[in-house]
Amino acid sequence: MTHPSPSNEPETPATEGVQPSAVPASRAQNAAALSRDLGDFLVEFSIVLHKRSMYPPGHPHLQNSAVRFATRMSSLLERRESVTLGVARHRLVIESVTTDPNNALLRELAHRLHRHRIASVQLMRGATLEEVENVLTALSEDPQKGDGPIGRRLDKVGPWDHIRLRGMGFDKFALQKSDGSVPVTEGSAAERDAWVSLARLALSTAPGEEAPDDADPLVVAQAIGQKAGEVAYDRVVLGYLAKVAEEMSGRRSAGEDQLGQRLSRMIEALDPDTLRRLLETGADLAGRRKFALNASQILAADAVMEVVQAAAQATNQTISHNLLRLLHKLAHHAQDGSVEVRVEADRALRSNVARLIGDWELEDPNPTRYTAMLEGMVRSSPDDPGVIGESGCDPEIVVKMALELGCVGPAVYTAANVLLERKELGRIAQLLDTMPHTAASEALWRHVATPDRLEDELQATPMNHDAVAILVKRIGADSANSLLDRLASAEDRSTRATILKLLTTLGPRVGSLAAARLPDAPWYVQRNILVLIGRLGQWPAAFTPMSYAGNPDARIRREAIKLLLESPRHTTDAVLLGLRDADDGIATMAATTALDSCPPAALPLLERITVDPERSPDLRGITLRILARTRAPEALRLLLTLAMTRRLWFARGLAPKSPLLLSALSALASHWAKDPSANEVLSLAQQHPDPEIRAAAGPGPS
């Protein structure tokens, strides 16, 4: 559990999980998404390393964050024996998925591990808190200072039984099948050698090291993308790619062996411009065609389409938009359809790609009538969310027309869903608000503003504040429990502030729901709920903050006493509670309230605070002013004691200059200027060389 600073912002130590994009947006539909528990864990990993680099050794945050990370790690490994993170410069590879390099937290984690020359991190069940502490401490160090990167001195740190770090280098990898066995088939050695050479070239592995047989294709693709653009480098890379494709072509069906899968994943991960540049620089027309033909027979369907498009651009050939979309649909069915559909679609895709490449001498292989037929075939398929039915209209236009005509149906709901997938809920709400309010608009609102959609928006990272506000406004009080759940888990202040504001708009009923959660809630939830009740301006029935005004946690006491101070019926009790509190912030809050109306029972407490040198000067200044306003003899004696000090040979003089002395002189001048004992002190002050002391004592005798 973290311990945020005691501010007025609502707090929570929990970090909401994120679900980072696994691959670039252009290929997001072709890759599995990173699971939520893995996403949450990686974010926690990044945050805990960042915090450990900020705080000095021994700080309470370090122990708390380590405990929290160990708990998250144990939860992650409940259903797994182990988890291995591959490390690239700006992203991580986990369970065959890469994290989004645009996610700041995950990019920072990858960059930190990469700077430490860490190639992989393996986490296993049973890690102790001591192991976690040691690993986090090592990784949070600056690799450019001290002993340098951890990956270069793993033999000198650890060892850790349940957390294993692997430095950059591939001396222990082996090419394996999914069942763990090493394939022994004709041609496997040559194919492995070609892949090893390609991986070594991309990753700049030293020639003396053993071959990186198991180099991750996504990491290899990223390395190629970073170096592509040099003519000699591009030609060598394409030469290795062509060698692997040629050796595999004709002996295996596409994607059935691990090497084909590796090559397919690498090509899919390459940026389209990088692949086109490789083909343009590394081969002539005949070489490009040969590579494309071989690739069309041995790569997975999606990778085939990447190669065909890049080869067409590199050769200045035209593939009609409609034919390209049709080929993409064949590729989609070749990977995600039923068994029978996959076989037929795969065969049709490869056959048509081979014929297409063979006819590249034509300026346009698609006659006008054929183009029209393809257009109809493409439109009839519902796979493309950008086209609604046979009309081909933009989904926003479909929704707008439906609202203008006052009718909705399946096509309209489909169009709305497309806009929602594009994160355009705000645009739908704008259309619904500006169009006439009819039964059709109400039906569409019911389709759009649902509790499930609100839950999805609340759990998104980052949360779309505008979308949540739209849904809460429409759903109303029924959204309160979802908002309270999110308030309890939100870590960033912006999200908490937005949720508190939305809860406040829902009215007093929210207070009752929130108060019901108070007794068994963690401290940070209790504090946030007390803040919410204060903003609602009305206490729920049967609720009193009094039971929380004595809580051991000062952050909870502060909010509870603040509620009591704002209630006319409880002000006196709240002032006395606050002045007795050891927390200066709470006591200052109570003393400020007592400036306007001080209960007599508070005077001893005020005097005790005023003479206590351990209390803050600001607080003592406030209590002194309150005592002076009473004009009581006890107050005068206290002011004289604070203003004067005994000097050498029993002489008395003004106390050293301080905020408290200035406040005492000002109080004496305001309330006891004619008192003989006070007049003596004021006369000394009016003759003092310090102008601030003279000003506090008032004008001297004329």
Side-chain angles (χ1 to χ4, degrees), residues 182-206:
V182 178
V184 182
T185 57
E186 181 182 356
S188 63
E191 293 162 8
R192 184 167 59 252
D193 289 344
W195 174 257
V196 168
S197 299
L198 175 62
R200 177 174 291 148
L201 172 69
L203 300 174
S204 301
T205 305

Side-chain angles (χ1 to χ4, degrees), residues 197-463:
S197 299
L198 175 62
R200 177 174 291 148
L201 172 69
L203 300 174
S204 301
T205 305
E209 297 181 5
E210 290 189 28
D213 296 11
D214 201 25
D216 192 284
L218 303 181
V219 177
V220 173
Q222 186 182 38
I224 292 174
Q226 291 174 348
K227 298 179 182 178
E230 303 174 10
V231 174
Y233 178 83
D234 290 348
R235 287 180 178 175
V236 175
V237 169
L238 184 65
Y240 282 125
L241 285 173
K243 182 178 180 181
V244 175
E246 185 174 5
E247 289 176 347
M248 294 179 62
S249 179
R251 288 206 304 270
R252 292 180 175 84
S253 57
E256 289 184 355
D257 63 282
Q258 190 172 14
L259 185 57
Q261 294 172 10
R262 288 172 184 273
L263 192 60
S264 297
R265 288 176 60 207
M266 190 207 75
I267 288 178
E268 287 181 54
L270 279 176
D271 183 85
D273 290 339
T274 299
L275 185 56
R276 175 186 54 77
R277 188 166 57 246
L278 288 173
L279 290 169
E280 285 179 347
T281 307
D284 55 16
L285 175 61
R288 294 178 198 128
R289 290 179 59 184
K290 182 178 180 181
F291 173 70
L293 283 169
N294 288 334
S296 70
Q297 303 307 310
I298 58 97
L299 296 181
D302 284 340
V304 169
M305 291 306 304
E306 298 287 347
V307 171
V308 169
Q309 289 178 255
Q313 294 175 2
T315 318
N316 296 320
Q317 298 295 328
T318 301
I319 304 178
S320 78
H321 174 68
N322 301 310
L323 177 59
L324 193 59
R325 289 171 63 185
L326 187 59
L327 292 175
H328 272 295
K329 291 180 186 300
L330 287 173
H332 170 72
H333 291 302
Q335 296 200 167
D336 298 328
S338 61
V339 176
E340 297 79 5
V341 170
R342 286 203 303 270
V343 172
E344 292 300 324
D346 188 85
R347 183 183 299 115
L349 172 67
R350 300 180 194 281
S351 174
N352 282 283
V353 166
R355 292 177 60 190
L356 175 67
I357 296 172
D359 289 337
W360 267 354
E361 292 85 356
L362 299 175
E363 292 184 0
D364 185 352
N366 303 311
T368 304
R369 292 180 60 188
Y370 186 47
T371 299
M373 178 188 71
L374 289 174
E375 179 67 27
M377 292 171 65
V378 172
R379 283 186 177 180
S380 64
S381 174
D383 291 342
D384 188 348
V387 178
I388 305 300
E390 297 183 356
S391 65
C393 289
D394 183 271
E396 183 179 332
I397 297 177
V398 173
V399 171
K400 188 174 182 179
M401 291 173 59
L403 294 175
E404 289 176 345
L405 296 173
C407 61
V408 293
V412 179
Y413 293 137
T414 300
N417 290 339
V418 172
L419 292 175
L420 291 171
E421 290 173 3
R422 295 178 183 174
K423 307 299 181 185
E424 295 186 24
L425 175 60
R427 182 56 183 152
I428 298 177
Q430 184 182 20
L431 290 173
L432 288 167
D433 288 340
T434 55
M435 292 292 180
H437 290 207
T438 62
S441 64
E442 286 299 314
L444 193 55
W445 262 127
R446 288 193 297 272
H447 176 76
V448 170
T450 64
D452 288 342
R453 182 158 288 114
L454 175 61
E455 285 285 350
D456 291 341
E457 292 291 348
L458 286 171
Q459 299 305 322
T461 304
M463 189 181 82

